[in-house]
Amino acid sequence: MTEIHAASAPVRERLTHIDMIRGVALFGILLMNVTSFGLPSSYSDPTIWGGATGANFWAWAVIQVFFEGTQRGMFSMLFGAGLILLTSRLEASGRTDTADIYYRRNLWLIGFGVIHSYLLLWTGEILFYYGCAALFLFALRNLPPRTLLTMAAAGLAIGALWNGLDSYNADDAWRKASAAQAAAASGTTLTPDQQDDLEAWKKLESDLKPDQRALDKKLAAYRGSYAEVFMHQAPLNAHYQSWWNYRYFFDVVAMMLAGMALFKNGVLRLKSPTSAYVAMVAAGYTIGIAVNYYELRIIVDGQYSILSFLRSLWTYDLGRIAMTIGHLGALLLFARSGWLPWLRRSLAAVGQLALSNYVTHSLVCALVFYGFGLGWYGHLERHQLYFVVFAIWIAQLIISPIWLARFQFGPVEWLWRSLTYTAKQPFRRGQAAATDSAAA
């Protein structure tokens, strides 16, 4: 224990503005995730469930334009910054087991992700993906910021091209299915290829616009017992933690690389001039709002058709990355301003307990929405979901500082650190110094 404490950075060295931004991003992730917790198959498409008019439309539109894809983007960047913070402090302390600590830390994160998804019943969890992605980044930690940014840009370009390919393939599937339907309508006997084209389009339709039978099945599962929810989600988790991990690998790694670069070049450490952060806000919001509004018009003018959603993917990454930069610049300016110190402190406490608070989101939402709790799944309109979100925000803004006044870590953070360092860590304030102040 003594060796662990001696090799660690004291709590006073925490970069509290990074904790604050992490707290904001954590709240933003719940803002995005709540539709998956509370509505069947309606994360992106408001016409499936929860309402698409009035307050429900505006709730969907505001999220699409200002927040879609940005909060996980910021969270991923901060995770990348945390990797640099952890390894640099361990290496500066003279430890020779930095690699052991790093890999053990992220392997346990993968394990937490499996537990979070299967046992805590959250298919949209991110810990598994982050742990897997981080395994590839240790060897890149000493690269200069420009190289890291170049690699990040390449990864994001691959992700954007993949989105474009999905959009192109959907258009192609629709054209082929339309041709097959026209041939059938004219009395022509369809070839096996044409029949396959029709089936391929029907499969895409059923995935993106499930029929009432599929929705009823999902409603019954989530309004059922813990065992029923578990059995419904288990094959989904297997799919997400295999195919989705592969599909979005470049997205996650690229944003982590960007965070590593921005931490090393001083942007995330508030070392850049104020004009740089103003430029991030101005450029990010100008491009991001324009692109995201353009995508919104494609979807609305296309009457929420499958093709309208898929055609909006062509510019998706441009819009969300620009908005992420804008949000990040605004939060860094807020941190530098000194405004509302009580709010910055509370948000920093939320961010310092990010892992525990993130898991708490799943626990609370499961008890609110699933059948073994209040059973509100599918009963609230889209805009009403955000009252649940705001209630959780307020509770965590109050509870997190109170918790940290008594304890050094959140319960999940404490367990993670104890497993990482293979030694029981001090928990209550005053027991001993914290082992290190690297961000989770």
Side-chain angles (χ1 to χ4, degrees):
M1 290 289 287
T2 303
E3 179 187 354
I4 293 173
H5 300 325
S8 61
V11 171
R12 67 177 179 271
E13 291 184 14
R14 287 197 72 94
L15 300 178
T16 55
H17 69 280
I18 288 189
D19 286 330
M20 182 204 76
I21 297 171
R22 186 183 298 107
V24 172
L26 181 72
F27 280 173
I29 286 174
L30 179 60
L31 192 73
M32 304 305 303
N33 286 348
V34 72
T35 50
S36 295
F37 276 118
L39 301 175
S41 305
S42 302
Y43 178 85
S44 298
D45 188 344
T47 63
I48 293 175
W49 205 273
T53 60
N56 293 315
F57 168 80
W58 287 109
W60 170 78
V62 168
I63 293 296
Q64 290 297 117
V65 173
F66 293 99
F67 299 105
E68 168 57 34
T70 63
Q71 305 307 296
R72 61 183 170 86
M74 279 201 299
F75 210 74
S76 298
M77 292 170 74
L78 294 175
F79 191 90
L83 300 183
I84 296 295
L85 188 59
L86 171 70
T87 56
S88 62
R89 285 178 170 173
L90 289 171
E91 290 168 345
S93 70
R95 295 192 66 134
T96 59
D97 59 349
T98 298
D100 290 346
I101 291 171
Y102 179 92
Y103 281 100
R104 194 159 52 237
R105 180 178 189 260
N106 288 296
L107 288 171
W108 277 115
L109 191 63
I110 293 171
F112 287 167
V114 173
I115 294 170
H116 189 202
S117 58
Y118 281 89
L119 298 185
L120 301 185
L121 306 176
W122 177 222
T123 56
E125 83 90 34
I126 59 173
L127 305 179
F128 180 87
Y129 304 95
Y130 279 16
C132 290
L135 299 179
F136 293 85
L137 298 180
F138 183 78
L140 308 178
R141 70 194 186 284
N142 292 323
L143 293 177
R146 180 173 295 183
T147 303
L148 291 171
L149 284 174
T150 300
M151 295 175 68
L156 291 171
I158 292 172
L161 289 172
W162 203 327
N163 282 334
L165 180 63
D166 285 345
S167 183
Y168 172 82
N169 287 339
D171 264 320
D172 188 54
W174 175 75
R175 286 192 296 269
K176 290 178 178 177
S178 297
Q181 288 171 342
S186 68
T188 302
T189 300
L190 297 183
T191 67
D193 285 344
Q194 289 175 316
Q195 291 173 347
D196 288 345
D197 292 338
L198 286 175
E199 289 301 317
W201 181 250
K202 288 178 182 178
K203 174 65 167 58
L204 189 59
E205 281 187 314
S206 67
D207 288 343
L208 301 181
K209 291 275 191 182
D211 59 21
Q212 191 59 48
R213 180 174 173 274
L215 292 173
D216 288 342
K217 183 177 180 181
K218 194 167 188 176
L219 287 166
Y222 282 104
R223 291 174 180 173
S225 65
Y226 175 91
E228 288 173 306
V229 179
F230 178 89
M231 293 304 294
H232 176 79
Q233 285 194 352
L236 297 176
N237 285 322
H239 175 69
Y240 294 154
Q241 293 188 343
S242 54
W243 163 244
W244 276 30
N245 194 27
Y246 173 67
R247 169 65 176 86
Y248 293 101
F249 173 82
F250 292 103
D251 181 307
V252 175
V253 168
M255 296 306 287
M256 288 183 181
L257 287 168
M260 293 165 67
L262 293 179
F263 186 83
K264 295 184 77 168
N265 69 12
V267 171
L268 285 177
R269 290 180 289 131
L270 286 177
K271 301 295 185 181
S272 298
T274 298
S275 59
Y277 302 120
V278 171
M280 289 171 65
V281 173
Y285 285 161
T286 298
I287 296 171
I289 292 173
V291 171
N292 290 350
Y293 179 74
Y294 164 75
E295 294 170 358
L296 186 78
R297 293 309 320 173
I298 290 176
I299 295 168
V300 174
D301 292 346
Q303 299 181 334
Y304 305 94
S305 68
I306 292 173
L307 286 178
S308 69
F309 280 101
L310 290 169
R311 285 169 178 168
S312 70
L313 289 177
W314 282 105
T315 55
Y316 173 77
D317 287 289
L318 175 61
R320 80 169 183 95
I321 293 168
M323 286 299 293
T324 300
I325 293 171
H327 289 330
L328 187 60
L331 288 169
L332 288 166
L333 284 174
F334 176 53
R336 174 169 282 182
S337 72
W339 297 340
L340 302 175
W342 60 270
L343 179 59
R344 288 187 287 109
R345 286 194 298 270
S346 292
L347 286 169
V350 171
Q352 194 171 338
L353 302 177
L355 186 54
S356 293
N357 281 328
Y358 178 61
V359 172
T360 300
H361 292 172
S362 300
L363 293 172
V364 171
C365 287
L367 292 173
V368 168
F369 293 111
Y370 299 163
F372 53 83
L374 296 178
W376 288 3
Y377 187 79
H379 287 300
L380 298 183
E381 295 183 25
R382 179 175 289 266
H383 78 277
Q384 293 173 327
L385 297 174
Y386 299 106
F387 294 116
V388 176
V389 172
F390 299 151
I392 294 173
W393 286 0
I394 292 169
Q396 292 190 331
L397 282 170
I398 295 171
I399 294 171
S400 296
I402 294 173
W403 179 276
L404 284 174
R406 292 161 175 78
F407 302 98
Q408 298 195 55
F409 315 112
V412 186
E413 284 83 0
W414 173 83
L415 176 61
W416 189 22
R417 297 165 77 93
S418 295
L419 292 169
T420 294
Y421 289 95
T422 64
K424 184 179 178 181
Q425 301 295 287
F427 192 35
R428 290 184 175 275
R429 291 282 177 191
Q431 279 186 298
T435 59
D436 72 272
S437 60

